């Protein structure tokens, strides 16, 4: 036969309630014993009847188990308090960071020329000084980059001049005729007379 489902409510009949208590208590104590043996667990069970009678089971010593329970509960309580304190600190930090981000956003928009309607004269003066300092820093950095670039170009020019001199020396050693020709060409170029006249140029005398 299939047992009907027991309705979970107080049994009104005293005799039936006592019989049910006795059966369930024995079964619960048996299960506690089996759990301690099969799983090597420390088990303590305390039962008080409705008349105040005590029934208990412990796999070792119920006092030691209770002491262990109180220590663990205290540790968990302290840990819970610490977690709550950390959460509170994190919430405060989040609020603080949100305010800082909002201020930075407003400051950024003010530096770009927006949100100036609510600014006082002192605040506008401070914004102006900040912009001037930023502009000065930008110009200084720009000047530094120009100097570094000029230095780099001069170094590249020096390297090219050195390479040109080495190539000319190599050509002179390999081809003396070419070297003499180059020297003559250079002298002819240097002997060319260039004159600038305003108006009618004077007549040249025959050589």
């Amino acid at each position: 036969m299939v047992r009907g489902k027991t309705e979970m409510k107080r049994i009104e009949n005293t005799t039936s309630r006592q019989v049910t208590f006795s059966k369930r208590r024995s079964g619960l104590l048996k299960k506690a014993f089996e759990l301690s043996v099969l799983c090597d667990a420390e088990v303590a069970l305390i039962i008080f009847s409705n008349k105040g009678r005590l029934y208990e089971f412990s796999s070792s010593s119920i006092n030691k188990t209770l002491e262990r329970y109180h220590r663990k509960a205290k540790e968990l309580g302290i840990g819970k308090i610490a977690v709550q304190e950390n959460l509170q600190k994190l919430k405060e930090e989040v609020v603080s960071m949100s305010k800082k981000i909002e201020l930075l956003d407003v400051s950024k928009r003010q530096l770009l020329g927006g949100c100036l309607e609510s600014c006082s004269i002192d605040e506008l003066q401070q914004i102006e000084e900040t912009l001037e300092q930023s502009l000065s820093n930008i110009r200084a950095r720009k000047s530094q980059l120009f100097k570094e670039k000029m230095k780099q170009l001069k170094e590249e020019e020096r390297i090219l001049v050195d390479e040109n001199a080495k190539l000319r020396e190599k050509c002179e050693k390999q081809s003396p005729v070419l070297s003499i020709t180059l020297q003559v060409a250079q002298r002819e170029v240097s002997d060319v007379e260039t004159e600038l006249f305003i108006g009618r140029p004077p007549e040249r005398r025959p050589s």
Side-chain angles (χ1 to χ4, degrees):
M1 294 179 63
V2 179
R3 296 174 57 185
K5 185 177 180 181
T6 303
E7 187 178 0
M8 288 292 107
K9 69 174 186 178
R10 183 175 181 271
I11 300 174
E12 298 296 335
N13 186 278
T14 305
T15 304
S16 297
R17 187 169 62 243
Q18 185 63 34
V19 172
T20 302
F21 174 76
S22 179
K23 290 181 179 179
R24 300 277 178 133
R25 180 201 65 208
S26 299
L28 184 58
L29 293 172
K30 181 180 179 182
K31 291 294 183 182
F33 170 74
E34 292 175 352
L35 179 63
S36 65
V37 174
L38 295 175
C39 302
D40 193 22
E42 184 177 353
V43 180
L45 177 62
I46 299 175
I47 304 173
F48 286 98
S49 68
N50 62 344
K51 295 181 179 180
R53 187 172 179 180
L54 172 65
Y55 302 90
E56 64 181 39
F57 167 80
S58 177
S59 58
S60 56
S61 170
I62 196 163
N63 291 329
K64 291 182 179 179
T65 304
L66 288 174
E67 289 176 1
R68 183 179 179 183
Y69 166 77
H70 288 305
R71 288 196 305 269
K72 194 65 178 177
K74 186 177 181 181
E75 292 175 1
L76 291 174
I78 295 173
K80 186 176 180 180
I81 292 173
V83 170
Q84 291 176 349
E85 291 178 352
N86 290 334
L87 286 175
Q88 184 63 30
K89 289 181 180 179
L90 288 174
K91 289 180 181 178
E92 293 175 357
E93 290 179 1
V94 168
V95 172
S96 177
M97 290 299 295
S98 298
K99 292 181 179 178
K100 289 181 180 179
I101 291 173
E102 184 178 357
L103 291 174
L104 288 173
D105 185 55
V106 172
S107 177
K108 177 183 176 182
R109 283 182 285 176
Q110 289 176 346
L111 290 174
L112 294 175
C115 302
L116 300 176
E117 295 79 6
S118 60
C119 294
S120 63
I121 295 177
D122 293 337
E123 290 174 342
L124 292 174
Q125 180 67 27
Q126 184 177 1
I127 294 172
E128 184 179 4
E129 292 176 356
T130 302
L131 288 172
E132 289 177 353
Q133 182 63 41
S134 299
L135 185 59
S136 177
N137 294 336
I138 292 171
R139 288 172 176 170
R141 178 58 180 165
K142 183 179 178 182
S143 177
Q144 181 182 358
L145 291 176
F146 276 140
K147 289 179 180 179
E148 292 176 356
K149 188 65 177 178
M150 289 296 296
K151 183 177 180 181
Q152 179 183 354
L153 292 174
K154 287 181 179 180
E155 179 65 20
E156 292 176 358
E157 180 185 8
R158 185 190 64 80
I159 294 172
L160 291 174
V161 170
D162 292 342
E163 291 179 353
N164 189 23
K166 291 178 181 179
L167 289 173
R168 180 176 294 177
E169 182 180 357
K170 185 176 180 181
C171 290
E172 291 175 353
K173 290 180 179 179
Q174 291 180 353
S175 179
V177 175
L178 177 61
S179 175
I180 294 172
T181 304
L182 290 173
Q183 292 177 3
V184 171
Q186 289 178 353
R187 284 198 297 270
E188 290 177 352
V189 170
S190 61
D191 291 340
V192 173
E193 185 178 346
T194 58
E195 295 180 355
L196 178 63
F197 299 99
I198 299 175
R200 184 178 179 180
E203 296 180 358
R204 292 184 176 274
R205 296 178 181 179
S207 56

